[in-house]
Amino acid sequence: MSQNAEPEFVNPEIWDLFRKRFRSPSTEASYWSDIMEFCRITGRCFAEADRGDVKRYYELMSRRTERGQLSPRTLTKKFRELHSFAEFSQTEDFFYPYLKNLPRESGLAKCVPVEEMDALLRAASEEQAAYTILTLLYRTGMTSTEIIALDGPEDFAIYEDGCYAVLSGREEPCFIPEDAWNILMEYMDQREVHESLFYNRSGRRLNTMYISRMMKRLCGKAGIPPYSAEAVRNCCAFNLFSYGASAGQTAAQMGRTEQQIRRYKGLSYRNNLRRKANELVKVRIEKP
């Protein structure tokens, strides 16, 4: 999903050139979200931000990290993305010096340990919409942006080999395993008819902020560390690799390139999954 630049914050022509570098709509959305966050907090358009603006933004984000509202890895990601856009747009880059002192991002994608994923699903078991969203993240590898963009039954197709979601920005449909399809069908049978598949109490389409708050609330209820929707989604790729899927198969399911998908080959996750399988922790999701 492309983003429309807000003229008061970012030059639309520069943003259009910059976003063409991204193959994934979720990557574009991440950069856009962090750039807009910086501009809204500082109250300045990106090209006019100065050293003091960046310092105040860093101090605010650091306080959020100290309070546990933001992970150190996420803080690093924000500054890496802001640095990248400043470098591309040829504005003075006040972000790079902070990257030298921030924790390096791990080469592996972050995921949710299987036993904590079980706890998260139990916490959502009485909320059908939330349970279905978690299921789609975990079992299909859809992004939260792709999930909230779904309109309804017309976005799904049934073929001889199974069920698929037709997603904007992906060349190939996204396969939906049978267990996830059954949960999705049950949700669609009881949902009210709105212009979007997932909606809030006012009947309006959900946004990524809603998903973020949902994750924080459910993780708190489950008594586990705060995980993002992306971390739940990453589990899909880790699971596929753990059960012998090829890089090509995993990349196709996740809507990524084979080069990008290497981040999901986690030996520690695979070993943990095998241990928990012996303790009968479920990988397949059942109806709550």
Side-chain angles (χ1 to χ4, degrees), residues 34 37-39 41-42 49-67 69-80 82 94-103:
D34 287 336
E37 176 188 60
F38 171 77
C39 293
I41 287 175
T42 61
D50 58 23
R51 192 184 309 276
D53 293 320
V54 176
K55 183 175 184 291
R56 285 190 294 274
Y57 176 77
Y58 171 76
E59 290 172 347
L60 174 62
M61 293 297 111
S62 295
R63 288 195 295 272
R64 291 181 180 178
T65 302
E66 291 170 1
R67 292 195 295 262
Q69 298 171 328
L70 194 72
S71 73
R73 177 178 174 271
T74 299
L75 178 58
T76 302
K77 177 190 78 73
K78 288 178 181 293
F79 269 80
R80 175 180 55 77
L82 293 167
F94 298 110
F95 302 97
Y96 181 70
Y98 290 93
L99 279 172
K100 297 177 182 178
N101 299 320
L102 289 172

Side-chain angles (χ1 to χ4, degrees), residues 147-273:
I147 290 171
I148 62 179
L150 293 169
D151 293 327
E154 63 271 23
D155 290 325
F156 302 97
I158 301 176
Y159 298 104
E160 291 182 1
D161 63 338
C163 307
Y164 292 81
V166 180
L167 305 174
S168 175
R170 291 207 196 188
E171 294 181 2
E172 299 293 333
C174 177
F175 177 69
I176 304 177
E178 183 180 1
D179 58 323
W181 180 253
N182 290 337
I183 291 167
L184 178 61
M185 286 298 97
E186 185 169 284
Y187 167 75
M188 286 202 286
D189 285 344
Q190 62 81 42
R191 68 182 279 268
E192 297 178 7
V193 178
H194 289 288
E195 63 178 14
S196 58
L197 181 60
F198 295 102
Y199 47 86
N200 61 21
R201 292 178 181 177
S202 302
R204 297 174 181 171
R205 187 184 300 275
L206 302 185
N207 54 33
T208 52
M209 183 60 70
Y210 180 97
I211 302 294
S212 178
R213 290 196 297 265
M214 180 193 82
M215 289 298 305
K216 183 177 180 180
R217 176 175 56 79
L218 291 175
C219 286
K221 183 178 178 182
I224 61 176
Y227 290 105
S228 65
E230 181 185 10
V232 176
R233 173 188 182 248
N234 291 344
C235 294
C236 178
F238 279 102
N239 284 332
L240 288 170
F241 273 128
S242 295
Y243 283 97
S246 68
Q249 290 169 327
T250 305
Q253 181 66 33
M254 301 292 291
R256 295 293 185 94
T257 65
E258 289 193 34
Q259 185 175 6
Q260 291 171 321
I261 217 69
R262 292 172 185 170
R263 299 177 62 234
Y264 302 96
K265 283 191 172 181
L267 181 61
S268 61
Y269 181 90
R270 185 181 307 176
N271 290 339
N272 177 251
L273 182 62

Side-chain angles (χ1 to χ4, degrees), residues 14-33:
I14 292 177
W15 172 253
D16 283 340
L17 289 172
F18 183 71
R19 70 185 183 86
K20 288 179 181 177
R21 304 170 7 152
F22 306 127
R23 296 185 181 182
S24 165
S26 60
T27 302
E28 177 186 334
S30 175
Y31 273 79
W32 177 256
S33 174

